[in-house]
Amino acid sequence: MGIARARRIARRAHQGQLRYDHELLLDQLERVADAVAEQGGDWVAVQAAWLHAVPASVEDLVLQGVPSRVVQVVKALRSYGWSAPAQVRHRAALVREAMNADRTVVSPSPAEPADLRTLPELLAEYGETRDYRIQWAINRLLGEPNDLNPSVMAELAERWWDSADDWEAGVAVRFAHRAGLLDRERLLRTVADGVPAAAETAIGLLEGEGDGREIEVLRTALLRPELEWLGVRTAVRVRLTAIGTPEAVAALRESEFDLVDMPWRHDRDWLHRNGTRLIPRLVELLPDPYWWHDAPVALASLRATEAVGPMCETVRVAEHPIPMIQALGGIGSAEAGPTLVWLLGHESAEVRAEALQALSRTGGADVVEVAMAACDDPDVQVRDRAARVLARHADGRAVTTLIRLCDTARAAEAADALTRIGDPRALPTLWSLFSHHHDRAVRHAAGRGLVRIEGEQRWSYVNDPRVERAYMWLLGHKPDWHRGALVIGTKHSDAMVRTRAVEAFGRLRDPAGAEHVRPLIADPDRRVRAAARAVTRLLGD
């Protein structure tokens, strides 16, 4: 699912919804999402910025096709992510920073900045309204460094410790922690006997090396299959990975995978340790809309060639084919070639571009012919990808197309491909790039082509020191060309042109050039003098 779809989900959920200051909530979400992108946030963080306020459970978001990585960040934003992996916490922090930096963003709590004076008011209002914004304010209070009264925290912990409400039970654990009432044994009892939010919070507070008792409690929680324990299982994997003992690793190996908390996200070796038994299950899950992203990614990581056939069948009818296309490219089997060629007719330009990229890795079709045809695609993204693929795989059939690509942003890659092919038909284009192109990388690529492809000498009449330096360099690679330009170059007003002319005489190793180089030993520029002395010695003068 892309950012555009996350935006659509948010718009359906918040259409016409006003904030407490009468601003449209969607306007704020758009500013926050843009700010996250400007701060370098990836697509996961940007989607989470759009979706974190959607009034739906994380399970409902998954059912709507939201990637599990995005769901994890949304969950962290809603719960402050005490036990979330570091990467999830980092993305959630980016979103929070963007919200805090937005001038119009005010805490959804009606309270003043959180401290002891506001806590009773928050609790009183929460008792009347059960408003999620008050929950947010209490979470913020616990997440900020402040001097909270331990007796107040202890009273609140006692009030909510046995609450049937998941959020209240989790907050009670945090209150007890702030009051200094929690020891290791009580945390473990909370994990074993508490509700999911309390257990997840308690796991996030466990520290140290861990022991057999803790590992057994965590193992029991890890094997609980209930959907509402997804977050707890994620927290357990993070904690067991941190413990890292053989017993903890053995407990991790017993874990199964489900919709949100795939074990391989916290234990990279788990996927490969369990690959043999895992591949058939992942293949079965390919048509499942819940697994449209994670199943192909896991199969690609395993290089599961046995999954190529089922994946080729599924990708033709998939609502979100891109992860499967990328997986086919990652596996690299030529069996995928015909399916990838078929996908080049897809209505989505992004799908066509990804299919081209995958085909360049798998083969199984005439990549050159396909890429040449795609260079005429109506979408600029596809044409650009086709240019890159063609430059990598081109042969003599592609010379004319590559010459046309020399007029695009891919001129350097096209020039390198023409150099590799070595067809003399490319020489006029390479000379033009060499003499007139504004990009130094393109001029250098054209120069390499002129060195490799044999052709008649052309004189440079461009009054540009950069081009004249490059022309001196080119003459040094062409022993059969006339050297009058090099003689002129030794008298040029630009010191670097003189230096390149001297170096060219040295590269040609022509003793007759010594008489033109020798006078430059007294040149006013130190670079010219150094080059002249070295070449004079080389020529034996």
Side-chain angles (χ1 to χ4, degrees), residues 418-458:
L418 289 169
T419 299
R420 188 177 67 251
I421 296 169
D423 193 310
R425 288 178 292 170
L427 284 173
T429 298
L430 293 177
W431 274 110
S432 177
L433 295 177
F434 180 80
S435 303
H436 303 292
H437 204 281
H438 66 278
D439 190 328
R440 179 182 180 185
V442 176
R443 295 197 303 273
H444 284 194
R448 292 190 293 270
L450 294 174
V451 168
R452 176 170 177 175
I453 303 174
E454 293 298 330
E456 295 183 359
Q457 181 178 4
R458 292 193 182 188

Side-chain angles (χ1 to χ4, degrees), residues 165-435:
D165 183 271
D166 202 38
W167 177 81
E168 291 178 359
V171 170
V173 175
R174 293 165 65 188
F175 280 150
H177 174 67
R178 294 291 296 268
L181 301 178
L182 290 180
D183 55 23
R184 189 180 195 81
E185 186 58 33
R186 192 173 184 186
L187 287 172
L188 292 177
R189 286 201 304 271
T190 302
V191 176
D193 304 327
V195 296
E200 183 178 352
T201 304
I203 293 169
L205 296 173
L206 289 169
E207 298 176 344
E209 298 180 356
D211 53 25
R213 156 85 170 139
E214 178 182 345
I215 292 173
E216 182 57 31
V217 170
L218 294 175
R219 174 184 169 278
T220 302
L222 184 62
L223 297 178
R224 295 195 63 158
E226 298 93 334
L227 186 62
E228 58 268 22
W229 281 74
L230 287 174
V232 178
R233 294 196 291 273
T234 299
V236 168
R237 292 193 180 100
V238 173
R239 175 61 183 156
L240 288 173
T241 302
I243 294 173
T245 63
E247 294 80 6
V249 172
L252 275 171
R253 289 177 178 174
E254 296 184 40
S255 62
E256 293 295 329
F257 64 94
D258 52 40
L259 202 57
V260 175
D261 55 331
M262 289 78 172
W264 54 84
R265 291 184 176 160
H266 313 293
D267 179 9
R268 294 187 178 183
D269 294 333
W270 188 93
L271 190 62
H272 297 278
R273 289 198 307 266
N274 296 274
T276 302
R277 68 180 180 87
L278 197 61
I279 289 173
R281 293 192 60 190
L282 289 171
V283 170
E284 292 176 3
L285 290 168
L286 283 172
D288 191 326
Y290 302 158
W291 287 86
W292 67 275
H293 177 271
D294 291 285
V297 169
L299 289 168
S301 180
L302 292 168
R303 298 292 190 271
T305 55
E306 58 266 51
V308 172
M311 207 178 298
C312 287
E313 295 178 7
T314 306
V315 74
R316 291 173 179 256
V317 295
E319 183 179 359
H320 307 290
I322 289 177
M324 291 189 198
I325 296 172
Q326 293 172 338
L328 290 170
I331 295 171
S333 171
E335 182 185 350
T339 296
L340 294 171
V341 172
W342 182 84
L343 287 167
L344 291 173
H346 198 279
E347 62 182 359
S348 167
E350 189 175 3
V351 170
R352 298 198 299 273
E354 290 293 342
L356 268 173
Q357 182 67 27
L359 188 62
S360 74
R361 297 175 179 174
T362 64
D366 192 336
V367 179
V368 175
E369 288 290 344
V370 168
M372 287 170 59
C375 285
D376 295 322
D377 192 275
D379 186 87
V380 64
Q381 176 187 4
V382 180
R383 293 198 302 272
D384 184 72
R385 187 67 58 86
R388 291 166 55 188
V389 171
L390 186 61
R392 189 179 305 121
H393 297 277
D395 56 27
R397 295 171 294 170
V399 170
T400 302
T401 304
L402 288 170
I403 289 173
R404 286 194 288 112
L405 290 177
C406 287
D407 295 329
T408 71
R410 295 293 171 186
E413 292 98 318
D416 279 331
L418 289 169
T419 299
R420 188 177 67 251
I421 296 169
D423 193 310
R425 288 178 292 170
L427 284 173
T429 298
L430 293 177
W431 274 110
S432 177
L433 295 177
F434 180 80
S435 303

Side-chain angles (χ1 to χ4, degrees), residues 480-497:
D480 297 331
W481 285 7
H482 194 276
R483 297 173 191 175
L486 283 180
V487 177
I488 296 173
T490 60
K491 300 176 176 62
H492 199 280
S493 60
D494 182 82
M496 286 308 299
V497 173

